[in-house]
C-alpha cells in the first residue's frame, strides 16, 4: 500500500461486532477509511427495540432482542456510557418449571431442590473436575458428562439443562454444548453469571443489568460514527467478487428504499481489507467460490437454528405454563435461618424497588415439554425485568396487574414446531413477532470452529467478528469487533483490568495473537 494512503476497510454487518470494529478504527481517521454495509434499515443487528402503548403497558418501549447481561459486559457498558445510555442494575429472579414436582427458583427453596440436594452438592465436585481436566472433559457434551457422573435424568432435565439454556442462550441444543460452558457459567471470572450454591444451586437474587433503549443507543452510536467519517451504508447487500494481492473487490446492491425487493448492482468497489461481521453461514455464502478450504471447514461448522420471539400480554397463557405468582405450596421446609428469610421475602407484598422487586416477582422462565423433556421454551416477564417499567411506577409502588404486563415467549428451532405452544396465545394480545437466526453452542463448535478461527482470521485480507466466534453474548460480539480492528493496526485502549484481560484472551484464542499490556499491534 502506498505510504501515506489510508487503509480502506469494508465492514460487512452493522450489529454489535461491526459497530465496535468501526468505532475502534474511527479513532484513527488519519489511517483508516471505513465503510460499513448492512442489508437492514438500521444498525444494531439483533439488539433491537420496539414501541409499545405506554398507557396500556406502563412504558413506551421494549428491548425485544438482546435484553441484558452481567457485570462482565465491560466493553458493552463502556460503549453505552459514551453516549449517555446507562445500564441498570436488577436483582434477578428466575422460575423454572411448573407444579410442585417440577418447579424451582433462586428466590426460595422448593421441594424439587430438596429432592435433588445430594446431586446439587455433587455437581460442585464435577465442576471442579471439568476445570482441572479441561482438555478432556471440557469438550465433551453436557449430556455425556451428566451421564458419565451418573446424575439422574430428572435433575438434568429440570435443573441443569434449563439453567444453562436460559443464561447462555443455548436453547434446545443445550444437551449438545461443551461442558466447559457449564463450568464457566459458575467458575470462570470472564463468563461467570452465578456463584455456585451447594444448597439451592443458584444464589439468592444475583445482580444483573438491563440494557438501555437499544434502538436509541445504536442510533446515537451510528450518528457519532458518521460524524467521525465512517460511511454507513444501510439497505445494502454485498457480493464478494475477488480477493487477491491488491485487496478485496465487492459489488454492492443498494436498495433505494427499505421495501424495495430488486436492488440494482453498483460498480465494483475495491478495499484493502474486509471484516465479515455477519453470521458464519452468511459469510460462507458471500465468499462462495472465493472461500478457502479452511474457511469452508470452519464456517461450515457453525450450526444455526431459526427461533421466534412472540411479544404479548396474554397473562392467562403465560400462567398456564409458568409459575408467575407466589404459591406457598411450592416452598420447601424452612430448615435454616437463611431459608426462612428467603421464604419470608417471597411472601411479602410486591413493591417496586430501583433494582428489582420486593416479593416473588420472577423475570426469567423455562418451560419443559412433557413429551420431550430435554426440549424447552423460554419466557420473560419484561414488566418485571426491564427497568423502564419500574422507573415509570416509582419506588414503593405496587406492580401493575398481571393482565397489563408485557411478556415474551421464545420458541426454539422451527424444525420442532410440533412441540410449540404458540397457538395457545390469544392473537388479539400479540404485540410483535420476530424471527431470529441463532447459532447453537454444540460441542463440535468448540472442537472445530473456535480453535479454527486463528487459521482463517487475517488470511486473504479477511477478518471475522461476531458472537458466533465464541459464545452468544453481546459482550463477545463487541470484543470480537475490537479485536479485528486491533489486528488491522488500531489501538486497543485499556480502561479496566478485567476488560483488558478478557480482550487479551479472546485475541489469543480467535486470532492467535498474544496481547501485551501497554503495547499495540504494529502493521
Amino acid at each position: 500500500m502506498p505510504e501515506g494512503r489510508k487503509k480502506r476497510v469494508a465492514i460487512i454487518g452493522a450489529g454489535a461486532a461491526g459497530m465496535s470494529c468501526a468505532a475502534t478504527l474511527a479513532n484513527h481517521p488519519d489511517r483508516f477509511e471505513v465503510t460499513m454495509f448492512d442489508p437492514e434499515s438500521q444498525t444494531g443487528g439483533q439488539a433491537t427495540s420496539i414501541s409499545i402503548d405506554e398507557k396500556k403497558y406502563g412504558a413506551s418501549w421494549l428491548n425485544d432482542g438482546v435484553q441484558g447481561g452481567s457485570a462482565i459486559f465491560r466493553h458493552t457498558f463502556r460503549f453505552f456510557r459514551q453516549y449517555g445510555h446507562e445500564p441498570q442494575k436488577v436483582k434477578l429472579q428466575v422460575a423454572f418449571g411448573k407444579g410442585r414436582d417440577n418447579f424451582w427458583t433462586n428466590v426460595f427453596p422448593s421441594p424439587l431442590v430438596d429432592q435433588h440436594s445430594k446431586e446439587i452438592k455433587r455437581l460442585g465436585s464435577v465442576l471442579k473436575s471439568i476445570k482441572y481436566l479441561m482438555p478432556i472433559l471440557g469438550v465433551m457434551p453436557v449430556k455425556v458428562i451428566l451421564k458419565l457422573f451418573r446424575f439422574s435424568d430428572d435433575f438434568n432435565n429440570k435443573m441443569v439443562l434449563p439453567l444453562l439454556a436460559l443464561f447462555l442462550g443455548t436453547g434446545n441444543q443445550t444437551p449438545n454444548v461443551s461442558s466447559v460452558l457449564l463450568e464457566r457459567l459458575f467458575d470462570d471470572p470472564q463468563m461467570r453469571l452465578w456463584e455456585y450454591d451447594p444448597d439451592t444451586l443458584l444464589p439468592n437474587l444475583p445482580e444483573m443489568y438491563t440494557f438501555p433503549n437499544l434502538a436509541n443507543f445504536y442510533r446515537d452510536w451510528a450518528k457519532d460514527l458518521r460524524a467521525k467519517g465512517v460511511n454507513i451504508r444501510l439497505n445494502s447487500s454485498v457480493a464478494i467478487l475477488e480477493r487477491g494481492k491488491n485487496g478485496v473487490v465487492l459489488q454492492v446492491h443498494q436498495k433505494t428504499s427499505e421495501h424495495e425487493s430488486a436492488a440494482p448492482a453498483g460498480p465494483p468497489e475495491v478495499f484493502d481489507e474486509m471484516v465479515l461481521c455477519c453470521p458464519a453461514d452468511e459469510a460462507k455464502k458471500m465468499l462462495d467460490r472465493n472461500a478457502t478450504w479452511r474457511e469452508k471447514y470452519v464456517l461450515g461448522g457453525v450450526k444455526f437454528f431459526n427461533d421466534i420471539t412472540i411479544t404479548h400480554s396474554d397473562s392467562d397463557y403465560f400462567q398456564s405454563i409458568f409459575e408467575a405468582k407466589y404459591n406457598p405450596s411450592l416452598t420447601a421446609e424452612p430448615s435454616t435461618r437463611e431459608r426462612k428469610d428467603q421464604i419470608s421475602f417471597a411472601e411479602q407484598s410486591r413493591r417496586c424497588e430501583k433494582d428489582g422487586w420486593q416479593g416473588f416477582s420472577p423475570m426469567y422462565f423455562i418451560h419443559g415439554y412433557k413429551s420431550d423433556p430435554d426440549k424447552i421454551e423460554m419466557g420473560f416477564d419484561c414488566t418485571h425485568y426491564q427497568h423502564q417499567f419500574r422507573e415509570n411506577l416509582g419506588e414503593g409502588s405496587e406492580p401493575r396487574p398481571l393482565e397489563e404486563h408485557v411478556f415474551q415467549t421464545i420458541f426454539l428451532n422451527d424444525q420442532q414446531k410440533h412441540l410449540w405452544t404458540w397457538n395457545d396465545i390469544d392473537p388479539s394480545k400479540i404485540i410483535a413477532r420476530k424471527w431470529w437466526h441463532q447459532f447453537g453452542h454444540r460441542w463440535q463448535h468448540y472442537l472445530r470452529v473456535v480453535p479454527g478461527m486463528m487459521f482463517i482470521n487475517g488470511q486473504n485480507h479477511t477478518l471475522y467478528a461476531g458472537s458466533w466466534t465464541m459464545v452468544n453474548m453481546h459482550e463477545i460480539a463487541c470484543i470480537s469487533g475490537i479485536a479485528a480492528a486491533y489486528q488491522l493496526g488500531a489501538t486497543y485502549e485499556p480502561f479496566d483490568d478485567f476488560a483488558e484481560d478478557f480482550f487479551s484472551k479472546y485475541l489469543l484464542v480467535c486470532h492467535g495473537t498474544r496481547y501485551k499490556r501497554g503495547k499495540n499491534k504494529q502493521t
Side-chain angles (χ1 to χ4, degrees):
M1 190 172 68
E3 187 176 350
R5 181 172 73 79
K6 295 181 182 180
K7 185 180 290 186
R8 294 170 297 194
V9 181
I11 299 173
I12 316 300
M19 294 288 282
S20 299
C21 183
T24 307
L25 293 172
N27 291 330
H28 309 278
D30 57 325
R31 296 169 53 198
F32 300 102
E33 181 181 305
V34 183
T35 303
M36 183 160 52
F37 302 95
D38 197 280
E40 300 299 325
S41 60
Q42 72 284 324
T43 58
Q46 293 190 1
T48 58
S49 306
I50 59 173
S51 297
I52 57 176
D53 187 335
E54 185 170 10
K55 290 184 179 180
K56 190 173 182 179
Y57 301 117
S60 61
W61 61 273
L62 180 84
N63 287 333
D64 67 331
V66 181
Q67 298 202 34
S70 71
I72 71 172
F73 283 42
R74 306 294 175 85
H75 297 87
T76 297
F77 293 172
R78 186 175 188 236
F79 283 125
F80 286 163
R81 289 165 178 150
Q82 283 179 354
Y83 300 100
H85 296 270
E86 186 68 26
Q88 300 294 323
K89 292 180 181 179
V90 60
K91 292 177 180 176
L92 192 66
Q93 299 189 30
V94 300
F96 297 89
K98 184 171 180 64
R100 187 175 176 86
D101 295 332
N102 301 294
F103 169 79
W104 67 289
T105 176
N106 69 318
V107 182
F108 57 87
S110 69
L112 187 69
V113 167
D114 282 354
Q115 179 185 335
H116 295 293
S117 61
K118 291 182 180 179
E119 291 181 289
I120 290 173
K121 290 180 174 62
R122 188 152 52 87
L123 182 63
S125 300
V126 173
L127 293 175
K128 292 178 181 178
S129 298
I130 295 172
K131 180 177 181 179
Y132 293 118
L133 296 173
M134 188 65 71
I136 302 170
L137 298 183
V139 75
M140 288 184 180
V142 169
K143 64 182 180 182
V144 173
I145 289 293
L146 294 175
K147 285 287 186 183
L148 183 65
F149 286 93
R150 305 178 69 83
F151 288 102
S152 68
D153 289 342
D154 200 55
F155 177 64
N156 299 343
N157 292 329
K158 293 179 181 179
M159 299 195 74
V160 180
L161 297 180
L163 175 64
L164 191 55
L166 191 63
F167 293 104
L168 291 180
T170 52
N172 283 343
Q173 287 303 304
T174 303
N176 301 316
V177 305
S178 297
S179 62
V180 63
L181 291 182
L182 176 63
E183 185 272 332
R184 291 186 176 176
L185 175 67
F186 288 102
D187 292 334
D188 187 274
Q190 267 79 42
M191 289 178 57
R192 180 173 58 212
L193 296 179
W194 307 90
E195 295 283 352
Y196 165 75
D197 189 312
D199 181 33
T200 58
L201 185 56
L202 296 185
N204 195 243
L205 306 180
E207 184 176 272
M208 300 284 281
Y209 289 81
T210 58
F211 286 173
N213 186 311
L214 290 171
N216 291 346
F217 162 67
Y218 273 96
R219 177 202 62 205
D220 294 346
W221 198 3
K223 181 179 179 181
D224 182 57
L225 292 184
R226 286 190 173 104
K228 291 178 177 178
V230 177
N231 183 12
I232 302 177
R233 295 163 62 176
L234 302 175
N235 296 313
S236 300
S237 57
V238 174
I240 300 169
L241 301 182
E242 182 183 341
R243 294 186 297 172
K245 292 182 179 180
N246 297 323
V248 181
V249 181
L250 306 178
Q251 189 167 56
V252 182
H253 296 255
Q254 180 75 47
K255 291 189 291 185
T256 56
S257 70
E258 181 181 350
H259 303 291
E260 182 179 329
S261 56
E269 301 181 38
V270 181
F271 296 88
D272 299 303
E273 304 288 344
M274 173 175 64
V275 187
L276 290 172
C277 301
C278 53
D281 56 348
E282 292 182 19
K284 185 172 180 284
K285 184 178 179 180
M286 276 193 288
L287 288 169
D288 196 21
R289 288 173 295 178
N290 292 297
T292 66
W293 71 267
R294 285 189 177 90
E295 288 171 324
K296 291 177 182 178
Y297 177 76
V298 174
L299 299 177
V302 187
K303 181 69 172 176
F304 286 88
F305 300 90
N306 295 316
D307 308 332
I308 186 171
T309 295
I310 298 182
T311 304
H312 61 93
S313 60
D314 191 343
S315 59
D316 290 337
Y317 160 78
F318 204 77
Q319 291 181 88
S320 72
I321 59 173
F322 301 123
E323 296 289 355
K325 292 182 178 180
Y326 177 70
N327 181 346
S329 70
L330 299 177
T331 60
E333 290 298 321
S335 54
T336 66
R337 168 53 59 187
E338 184 177 12
R339 285 186 165 213
K340 289 178 182 177
D341 291 343
Q342 291 172 353
I343 294 171
S344 176
F345 172 84
E347 290 174 336
Q348 293 180 51
S349 298
R350 291 186 299 148
R351 289 289 186 275
C352 179
E353 297 181 343
K354 181 175 176 58
D355 59 353
W357 295 87
Q358 171 186 287
F360 182 61
S361 308
M363 304 160 185
Y364 278 31
F365 301 81
I366 285 284
H367 164 71
Y369 299 109
K370 289 183 179 179
S371 60
D372 203 340
D374 66 352
K375 303 294 189 301
I376 62 167
E377 48 193 49
M378 302 190 297
F380 300 90
D381 186 332
C382 300
T383 302
H384 277 162
Y385 181 53
Q386 295 189 25
H387 61 272
Q388 67 272 22
F389 294 95
R390 299 194 304 276
E391 289 175 353
N392 290 347
L393 277 176
E395 291 186 59
S397 300
E398 293 183 2
R400 298 177 71 90
L402 205 62
E403 295 74 21
E404 298 176 10
H405 283 213
V406 179
F407 307 103
Q408 286 188 330
T409 310
I410 303 178
F411 302 95
L412 303 162
N413 190 356
D414 61 353
Q415 297 175 10
Q416 297 164 348
K417 285 182 182 178
H418 63 283
L419 295 172
W420 293 359
T421 62
W422 61 341
N423 290 326
D424 295 335
I425 302 175
D426 184 342
S428 68
K429 297 182 179 180
I430 292 177
I431 299 169
R433 298 171 180 258
K434 193 166 289 188
W435 284 94
W436 309 101
H437 192 54
Q438 302 279 19
F439 85 93
H441 301 70
R442 305 177 306 157
W443 64 271
Q444 296 96 325
H445 191 85
Y446 297 94
L447 193 62
R448 173 176 172 179
V449 179
V450 175
M453 289 307 303
M454 69 171 68
F455 299 105
I456 64 172
N457 259 322
Q459 301 298 312
N460 300 301
H461 303 281
T462 305
L463 289 153
Y464 298 89
S467 62
W468 63 266
T469 60
M470 188 172 283
V471 181
N472 189 22
M473 291 182 178
H474 191 278
E475 177 70 359
I476 291 293
C478 287
I479 291 173
S480 70
I482 297 169
Y486 177 87
Q487 290 296 87
L488 291 174
T491 299
Y492 176 77
E493 298 179 352
F495 63 96
D496 176 284
D497 287 345
F498 181 93
E500 190 175 15
D501 185 51
F502 202 169
F503 170 78
S504 68
K505 288 181 178 178
Y506 178 90
L507 192 67
L508 180 62
V509 171
C510 289
H511 291 269
T513 298
R514 191 173 297 278
Y515 171 79
K516 294 183 179 179
R517 293 178 183 269
K519 294 183 179 181
N520 278 281
K521 186 179 177 70
Q522 300 298 316
T523 59

